[in-house]
Amino acid sequence: MALLGSSQIVGNSSSVKFPASFPAWRRCSSRRSVGFRVFASETQGEPDLSVTVNGLNMPNPFVIGSGPPGTNYKVMKKAFDEGWGAVIAKTVSLDAAKVVNVTPRYARLRADANGSGLGQIIGWQNIELISDRPLETMLQEFKQLKEEYPDRILIASIMEECNKASWEELIDRVEQTGIDAIEINFSCPHGMPERKMGAAVGQDCELLGEVCEWINAKATVPVWAKMTPNITDITKPARVALESGCEGVAAINTIMSVMGINLNTLHPEPCVEGYSTPGGYSAKAVHPIALAKVMSIAQMMKTDFTDKDYSLSAIGGVETGGDAAEFILLGANTVQVCTGVMMHGYDLVGKLCTELKDFMKMHNFSSIEEFRGMSLQYFTTHTELVRMQKEAVQKKKAMKKGLASDKDWTGEGFVKESESMVSN
């Protein structure tokens, strides 16, 4: 692990400004806005979207999430050229020969009745496994990308069986390519659980802690642990990962799901030779669930690790700058997008940047740190909500009874004050 600096969940640290020589393609292009009404002063400069996370400098907080959008050199190069803040490659392991995908492996949920092909896509399911490409091939492409884009952030996503030597070998090999950080896939909900990989580790806090210790004893770059939502309390594994040396956590991975049953054929979807298997659910429909999980982790980090510089990368149903703003308001340093890219393309980042800037202008925020974690303070318990509402009602009733004494009269509110003491 590498203990590099980053910001707290709520911070006011100065942001990194674009230098004059900053390449134009790295500045977020203007497209259409999400509909925010901007009240910022005309003299105010453009909001700064740059972030520094665990010592990693990114031009914006938008990160390609591990999956098909980071599956090979060509698509990762496309992401960098479009201006994404960072790219997390598709998860790799030592032996890709054990990874065999099927087709079709995606299914979609639409907003209209009976799933016709006309409605808006609100849910996406996949039964896709980690990278089926030889590790050596992926490593060569990592190295090539870092040579061509030395100032861009490339993060390797890795997954291995519960074997210390295997984890150490994999970490050593990916680090030799020059990657900037590592994300540990403790969260894939399907595929190879019998090999104690993915969510099989993320759901077992004792095993998770042991594996994280192996990893962080070996790694020399920042390590993020990617959390599974398929667990009762996501803060437990997140806390274990941080206590075991990880510099940050990412949440959430996909939600275990059965997309649906074809009522004509009676077969489940996606259908492979008449059969299917539960898979991972993503896209807009999971966004509220992801917000709740990220909020819980952010609160835990703020309470339990107040003196630590840990990072939080949020994932789940991001298709607009507003979606991203919600995650940042809950404490996220970066926002990952995977399914959104599969649905809208790599140039989605321009729209995300424009819409996030519009939000920032509306509130006169000049940097990400100015509003990161700002909305955490507005969450409380149901018991406390009842108490606050009761107190508010009592206060309103007391006000209707009129002024308590002659000293409370005011000139400007005199008529209303008089009416407040009239008996109905």
Side-chain angles (χ1 to χ4, degrees):
M1 79 182 159
L3 294 178
L4 303 175
S6 71
S7 303
Q8 298 291 337
I9 290 295
V10 180
N12 293 304
S13 62
S14 60
S15 55
V16 181
K17 302 292 183 182
F18 283 115
S21 60
F22 206 68
W25 61 266
R26 291 186 63 183
R27 299 175 185 268
C28 296
S29 60
S30 295
R31 300 184 63 180
R32 63 183 183 83
S33 73
V34 75
F36 293 119
R37 186 179 178 189
V38 180
F39 295 97
S41 167
E42 292 182 2
T43 60
Q44 180 183 358
E46 279 290 292
D48 182 8
L49 296 185
S50 65
V51 295
T52 300
V53 185
N54 301 129
L56 307 174
N57 299 316
M58 305 178 192
N60 59 68
F62 297 110
V63 178
I64 292 288
S66 180
T71 197
N72 61 46
Y73 165 82
K74 290 182 291 185
V75 298
M76 289 187 280
K77 173 180 170 59
K78 176 68 172 176
F80 282 146
D81 289 341
E82 289 291 342
W84 287 84
V87 171
I88 303 178
K90 191 172 185 182
T91 304
V92 297
S93 63
L94 290 175
D95 188 2
K98 296 180 180 179
V99 182
V100 181
N101 279 301
V102 295
T103 301
R105 53 182 175 267
Y106 306 136
R108 296 178 295 192
L109 179 68
R110 295 184 181 271
D112 58 318
N114 299 320
S116 80
L118 302 177
Q120 177 190 5
I121 298 171
I122 59 173
W124 185 288
Q125 189 207 44
N126 82 88
I127 56 172
E128 185 161 337
L129 302 180
I130 63 175
S131 178
D132 57 11
R133 305 178 71 225
L135 176 62
E136 190 58 42
T137 300
M138 291 292 283
L139 296 179
Q140 290 174 355
E141 294 183 357
F142 291 170
K143 185 176 181 180
Q144 183 178 358
L145 282 164
K146 284 305 300 178
E147 289 174 351
E148 295 180 9
Y149 299 89
D151 60 341
R152 306 311 301 275
I153 302 302
L154 178 61
I155 300 173
S157 173
I158 64 175
M159 180 197 289
E160 208 23 82
E161 299 182 27
C162 286
N163 179 285
K164 183 179 180 182
S166 296
W167 277 107
E168 291 177 338
E169 179 185 351
L170 184 56
I171 291 168
D172 183 57
R173 295 184 69 181
V174 296
E175 284 197 355
Q176 287 182 33
T177 67
I179 51 95
D180 301 283
I182 295 173
E183 183 180 82
I184 312 298
N185 188 337
F186 290 133
S187 48
C188 183
H190 55 273
M192 299 178 289
E194 69 282 356
R195 293 170 58 190
K196 285 292 184 180
M197 299 174 75
V201 180
Q203 293 167 334
D204 184 335
C205 286
E206 183 176 351
L207 183 58
L208 174 68
E210 182 179 14
V211 175
C212 281
E213 288 178 359
W214 297 344
I215 292 168
N216 289 296
K218 180 67 176 177
T220 63
V221 297
V223 174
W224 299 353
K226 190 172 183 179
M227 300 286 99
T228 174
N230 303 298
I231 191 168
T232 303
D233 184 356
I234 198 170
T235 65
K236 291 183 178 180
R239 183 182 293 106
V240 168
L242 296 175
E243 290 175 342
S244 301
C246 294
E247 280 77 27
V249 293
I252 58 175
N253 205 324
T254 53
I255 301 170
M256 183 66 83
S257 64
V258 171
M259 182 57 80
I261 306 297
N262 186 310
L263 297 182
N264 293 318
T265 67
L266 310 187
H267 294 293
E269 301 287 352
C271 190
V272 181
E273 308 302 332
Y275 292 83
S276 191
T277 188
Y281 195 45
S282 60
K284 181 65 70 177
V286 309
H287 187 64
I289 299 170
L291 287 173
K293 299 293 185 180
V294 167
M295 180 272 294
S296 295
I297 293 174
Q299 286 185 326
M300 178 274 293
M301 293 172 68
K302 186 178 180 182
T303 301
D304 296 359
F305 300 99
T306 54
D307 60 337
K308 303 292 184 180
D309 292 333
Y310 292 136
S311 64
L312 175 57
S313 189
I315 317 161
V318 173
E319 296 181 34
T320 70
D323 296 332
E326 290 178 308
F327 276 133
I328 297 170
L329 284 164
L330 292 180
N333 301 83
T334 59
V335 178
Q336 296 186 31
V337 186
C338 182
T339 306
V341 178
M342 297 172 72
M343 294 169 56
H344 305 292
Y346 289 91
D347 60 350
L348 174 66
V349 68
K351 172 177 174 288
L352 295 175
C353 286
T354 297
E355 293 174 350
L356 183 57
K357 282 185 176 181
D358 286 346
F359 161 79
M360 294 171 69
K361 290 175 182 177
M362 180 175 68
H363 294 281
N364 289 320
F365 295 134
S366 62
S367 70
I368 297 294
E369 281 301 311
E370 284 188 22
F371 68 96
R372 190 169 68 83
M374 185 174 288
S375 294
L376 276 182
Q377 62 185 309
Y378 301 119
F379 288 91
T380 186
T381 64
H382 189 83
T383 298
E384 183 63 10
L385 291 177
V386 172
R387 184 201 65 78
M388 289 191 295
Q389 190 161 73
K390 182 178 180 180
E391 183 179 281
V393 170
Q394 291 175 338
K395 185 175 181 180
K396 289 179 181 179
K397 287 182 178 179
M399 289 177 63
K400 289 182 179 180
K401 294 179 181 178
L403 305 179
S405 66
D406 284 352
K407 68 179 177 59
D408 296 327
W409 288 90
T410 65
E412 295 183 4
F414 189 81
V415 174
K416 288 186 177 180
E417 290 164 357
S418 299
E419 290 177 349
S420 71
M421 291 182 282
V422 175
S423 176
N424 291 329

